[in-house]
Amino acid sequence: MSVIRSLYCGVMVFWLFACLAVQASTFEASTEQVKARLIASVDAVHPGDDIQIGVHQWIIPHWHTYWINPGDSGIATTIKYDLPAGATVSDIQWPTPARMNLGPVTNYGYEHEVTLLSTIHVSEAVSAGNVFPIRAVVNWLVCEEECIPQQVELSLQLPVVAPGQPAGSGSPLIAKARSALPVASPRPVTVEHSDNGLLLRIGGFEIPGSSIKDIWFYPTEWGRIAQSAAQTWRVDGDSIELKFPPGDAPLANGENLNGVLVITENGNDVPIVRGFTINPVLGNTAKDGAYINEPEVAFVSALLFAFLGGVILNLMPCVFPVLSIKALSLLKHAQHSPLQTRLNGLVYSAGVLVSFALLGAVLIALKASGTQIGWGFQFQSPVFVLAVVYLIFAAGLSLSGVFTIGNSVVGIGSALAERSGLTGSFFTGVLATIVATPCTAPFMGAALGFALTQPGPALMAVFLSLGSGLALPYLLLSLWPSFLQRRLPKPGIWMERLKQALAFPMYGATVWLVWVLAQQTGLNGVAVALGGIVAIAFAAWLYEVTKYSGKFVSHSGSGIAALVLLLSLTGGYFGIKNDPATSGSLSSTKSSEQNWEPYTEERFKALRAEGKPVFLNFTAAWCISCLANEKVALSRRAVIDGFKKSGITYLKGDWTNRNIEITRILAEFGRSGVPLYVYYPAGIDTDPVVLPQILTPEIVIRAVTVPVSTVSLVN
């Protein structure tokens, strides 16, 4: 979105002095979403004064800026003051925040309007009759569904008057801003461990529980609590108890829980909001009790986002190889009875859900062991990638007719049982899940990021919702078989030809996965994989040509085929397991045409310290969405030229193999997996811009060429 720059200048006479008339000016700067103004608590200053200065923001409806702790995403507003020699300025005094929910993401910030106050100490050395200039560079991130970093420069000149002369009352917005600041809690507050969380107890409460509409605790430090989780409260005599789960950076015993406790009371016309600063020390005791369960909006939203992401996942490039199996299944089932077709659809859905349940169980176990993991983590294991290589290649051989087991030809899963196509439908669902996990569809990022911070039951529910979305399109077609039967021609040789043609996407997926293996293990891993592929092809051929050659020959051929298959799997496992990654990762080599550098924390921090613009791309070789974005958008000449013209350093972080540092960065941006694209505009304190998970050249160019709306105002 382009930002319209406009200039609002106004000149006001603040005070008329008997000996000298001095004009003090306020300045405003506007962007498309925010109008900012520099205001003061006085119209003039005395030498040695302490005055309050503030940046007041009017924010258009539905948009918001951020608090000191922005929550699950976002960046806090920063103000850099330029003052005369000898003057000092305090940190920002943050007004009581509000929370904004977008699906499972909870942010802390401000809507409509806010004033960020600071206290300035005027030097004793300033002389009456001069002016006291104040300049401020203000950076903020303003968000609705999209986020836009913006910057303005504001300046204000206040007359310096002699002691004893009136200084004026300044802007009335200052008094309003003071009333919005949280105050120190007049009541004793304690925090202690409780079942699966923390218990905050506020004593000496005279407010009846029936008059309280809402209570919420806002920590000033990220990660102290699970910010998207519900906070439950109850009245216990003259105390209020508030319970919430810990976050990714939980308190240790003896540490302070710093933040703002916001109590909203039912008023006559509008709710009354009161904010209290608290900093209790975490203790060890716990107290049981029944709590009021507020609606867990974040959890319900995560379920919905996961379901939508699962539906969209059917259209992502990762799932394309298995579309061969699904399409063939639909063709075959369309010739069955409606009951059999519906049953196959239900069994396929069961295969998807069981697979997601197993994946969720593994994630829960890994979380319990303290392992940092994310979506698609299993593809960081070369052994797992090799197993999928063999599985998909064998599926292609089956579709090509190299081997068949019984009459079932639908997918590698159906080759696991002779007597019924239901087993094949189940394992088709399993295979669909396996090939879907390297992809992240829209809506999935926030849902999975939320799930990985939640207890086991909530995580499992989100994963099952994701699986339900993935299974839904196929299930709907199965439940209405007449829809297909009316549109398909009669069975014939075309079905066999189509089945054979659909093997080639499986072979293509095999090539891609061998390439992924090369990124993880180098050339030795490729040799192991190709050797196993040859052995599997030989075993499949031997089984097929001997199975009708008499009992002895058939059994001998099957036995040799099974032995060859076992040796290929065993050899592949030990060959990959004992061959660590040596070369070829996404970030290990650089050609003359390459416009990116490998990401390292040291390089990133050095670039930021110099104020240079940086584009971060966190990717993986097994992530088809990542590779598609690089091909469609990031490798386009217009994007490359745009990076060069703007002096942008492009850093690529490789998550192909397990990398704890990148996992941590993903978590900081509320993501559980790749891709993640972040742009830091030029400047030391600029806010990051998070790009969508699906890119086009226009999206990238717009983000890096118009990253900040800057309005510079001078006297």
Side-chain angles (χ1 to χ4, degrees):
M1 174 182 294
S2 63
V3 180
I4 303 176
R5 295 178 173 88
S6 57
L7 178 62
Y8 297 88
C9 295
V11 178
M12 177 183 293
V13 176
F14 286 115
W15 202 261
L16 183 62
F17 303 99
C19 61
L20 179 67
V22 181
Q23 181 176 283
S25 301
T26 62
F27 290 92
E28 296 177 352
S30 294
T31 69
E32 203 169 81
Q33 294 79 21
V34 181
K35 180 166 70 174
R37 189 180 193 188
L38 190 61
I39 57 176
S41 60
V42 293
D43 299 325
V45 300
H46 302 113
D49 269 356
D50 287 327
I51 66 170
Q52 282 193 301
I53 199 79
V55 174
H56 181 263
Q57 296 175 324
W58 282 280
I59 308 166
I60 66 174
H62 312 301
W63 291 72
H64 60 269
T65 58
Y66 291 93
W67 188 50
I68 184 174
N69 172 12
D72 289 327
S73 63
I75 298 293
T77 299
T78 62
I79 308 174
K80 184 177 181 180
Y81 285 102
D82 182 13
L83 303 172
T88 60
V89 62
S90 71
D91 293 334
I92 295 174
Q93 301 166 34
W94 295 93
T96 299
R99 64 185 186 273
M100 284 73 69
N101 296 311
L102 179 60
V105 175
T106 297
N107 295 326
Y108 302 150
Y110 308 102
E111 297 177 309
H112 309 305
E113 65 174 313
V114 63
T115 301
L116 303 179
L117 296 176
S118 297
T119 299
I120 290 179
H121 176 73
V122 181
S123 172
E124 298 278 357
V126 298
S127 302
N130 293 324
V131 294
F132 184 80
I134 303 171
R135 290 178 59 86
V137 178
V138 191
N139 288 277
W140 64 74
L141 186 69
V142 60
C143 298
E144 187 190 26
E145 291 182 356
E146 62 179 306
C147 292
I148 305 173
Q150 297 176 341
Q151 181 187 88
V152 297
E153 294 184 13
L154 305 170
S155 62
L156 179 65
Q157 296 194 26
L158 299 174
V160 180
V161 297
Q165 290 188 348
S169 58
S171 171
L173 292 172
I174 295 290
K176 184 178 179 181
R178 288 173 181 152
S179 67
L181 296 175
V183 299
S185 175
R187 307 174 181 89
V189 180
T190 61
V191 63
E192 57 199 38
H193 293 289
S194 184
D195 296 336
N196 299 319
L198 298 175
L199 180 66
L200 194 68
R201 183 178 291 110
I202 310 103
F205 235 89
E206 298 85 14
I207 303 174
S210 59
S211 68
I212 298 176
K213 181 178 181 181
D214 181 53
I215 299 178
W216 197 269
F217 173 68
Y218 297 80
T220 54
E221 299 170 278
W222 180 89
R224 293 309 196 185
I225 70 172
Q227 291 159 153
S228 295
Q231 299 186 12
T232 56
W233 59 274
R234 71 164 189 164
V235 177
D236 182 20
D238 65 347
S239 298
I240 287 183
E241 296 178 350
L242 182 65
K243 190 175 182 181
F244 38 77
D248 294 332
L251 285 174
N253 288 331
E255 291 186 326
N256 291 85
L257 181 65
N258 300 308
V260 176
L261 182 69
V262 178
I263 300 175
T264 305
E265 303 172 41
N266 293 308
N268 294 330
D269 298 319
V270 295
I272 302 171
V273 180
R274 307 180 194 275
F276 303 95
T277 57
I278 60 174
N279 61 343
V281 178
L282 178 61
N284 292 301
T285 59
K287 182 175 180 179
D288 296 327
Y291 289 86
I292 302 171
N293 288 319
E294 295 180 343
E296 297 195 5
V297 177
F299 175 65
V300 174
S301 298
L303 292 179
L304 177 61
F305 277 32
F307 181 80
L308 293 174
V311 174
I312 298 173
L313 201 56
N314 285 277
L315 305 176
M316 301 300 288
C318 305
V319 188
F320 180 74
V322 86
L323 291 180
S324 305
I325 295 175
K326 295 167 76 174
L328 195 58
S329 298
L330 290 172
L331 289 175
K332 182 184 177 188
H333 296 158
Q335 312 307 322
H336 290 169
S337 68
L339 177 61
Q340 184 70 12
T341 300
R342 293 183 181 115
L343 189 57
N344 275 284
L346 292 172
V347 172
Y348 164 82
S349 301
V352 172
L353 292 176
V354 168
S355 301
F356 271 96
L358 289 175
L359 182 60
V362 172
L363 286 169
I364 291 170
L366 290 174
K367 281 185 61 184
S369 68
T371 304
Q372 289 186 306
I373 37 79
W375 176 248
F377 73 96
Q378 66 274 27
F379 277 86
Q380 295 175 335
S381 165
V383 173
F384 180 84
V385 173
L386 182 65
V388 178
V389 166
Y390 290 165
L391 179 65
I392 291 182
F393 180 69
L397 292 178
S398 177
L399 292 169
S400 293
V402 175
F403 77 102
T404 57
I405 299 179
N407 295 320
S408 180
V409 293
V410 183
I412 189 62
S414 59
L416 300 175
E418 294 184 24
R419 61 185 180 85
S420 173
L422 294 180
T423 306
S425 295
F426 181 86
F427 281 98
T428 298
V430 173
L431 187 57
T433 303
I434 291 174
V435 300
T437 50
C439 256
T440 302
F443 298 104
M444 278 179 59
L448 292 174
F450 170 83
L452 292 175
T453 65
Q454 300 305 300
L459 184 150
M460 185 65 73
V462 172
F463 269 64
L464 290 177
S465 182
L466 179 60
S468 299
L470 179 64
L472 181 65
Y474 185 94
L475 178 62
L476 290 177
L477 289 173
S478 300
L479 292 179
W480 283 277
S482 59
F483 178 81
L484 286 175
Q485 292 171 348
R486 290 196 302 265
R487 287 163 175 78
L488 291 177
K490 294 181 179 181
I493 191 64
W494 69 270
M495 293 186 65
E496 181 65 20
R497 295 290 180 263
L498 178 61
K499 174 179 75 71
Q500 295 171 358
L502 291 175
F504 290 95
M506 309 304 288
Y507 298 141
T510 302
V511 173
W512 159 58
L513 286 170
V514 170
W515 177 79
V516 171
L517 202 61
Q519 312 306 307
Q520 296 175 315
T521 64
L523 294 178
N524 289 342
V526 175
V528 169
L530 294 179
I533 285 173
V534 172
I536 290 173
F538 174 73
W541 172 81
L542 184 63
Y543 167 79
E544 185 68 19
V545 299
T546 60
K547 71 177 181 178
Y548 298 120
S549 303
K551 181 177 286 188
F552 176 77
V553 176
S554 176
H555 287 175
S556 298
S558 297
I560 295 173
L563 179 62
V564 172
L565 184 61
L566 179 62
L567 289 175
S568 67
L569 295 177
T570 305
Y573 172 77
F574 287 105
I576 293 294
K577 188 176 180 63
N578 296 326
D579 181 29
T582 56
S583 65
S585 70
L586 288 174
S587 300
S588 62
T589 59
K590 184 174 181 178
S591 69
S592 59
E593 296 297 322
Q594 185 171 292
N595 67 319
W596 52 266
E597 302 176 25
Y599 171 86
T600 63
E601 186 174 7
E602 295 76 15
R603 176 62 169 154
F604 172 67
K605 288 184 176 179
L607 290 168
R608 292 292 292 151
E610 296 173 12
K612 294 183 177 179
V614 183
F615 185 90
L616 300 180
N617 170 14
F618 294 104
T619 181
W622 41 261
C623 171
I624 291 290
S625 300
C626 306
L627 302 179
N629 285 332
E630 292 185 24
K631 182 67 175 177
V632 170
L634 296 178
S635 63
R636 290 296 180 91
R637 176 53 56 185
V639 173
I640 294 173
D641 291 344
F643 281 11
K644 289 181 179 179
K645 182 178 180 181
S646 301
I648 297 170
T649 302
Y650 175 12
L651 301 181
K652 185 185 293 188
D654 186 6
W655 207 49
T656 300
N657 295 308
R658 187 166 178 265
N659 186 306
I660 295 178
E661 180 182 326
I662 292 179
T663 304
R664 176 183 56 79
I665 295 171
L666 294 173
E668 289 177 359
F669 284 92
R671 297 287 178 83
S672 64
V674 291
L676 172 64
Y677 307 104
V678 184
Y679 172 57
Y680 287 84
I684 296 176
D685 298 321
T686 53
D687 300 324
V689 182
V690 179
L691 278 69
Q693 292 171 307
I694 304 299
L695 297 181
T696 64
E698 292 74 21
I699 290 175
V700 179
I701 292 171
R702 186 167 63 244
V704 303
T705 56
V706 195
V708 177
S709 173
T710 304
V711 180
S712 178
L713 297 176
V714 294
N715 210 11

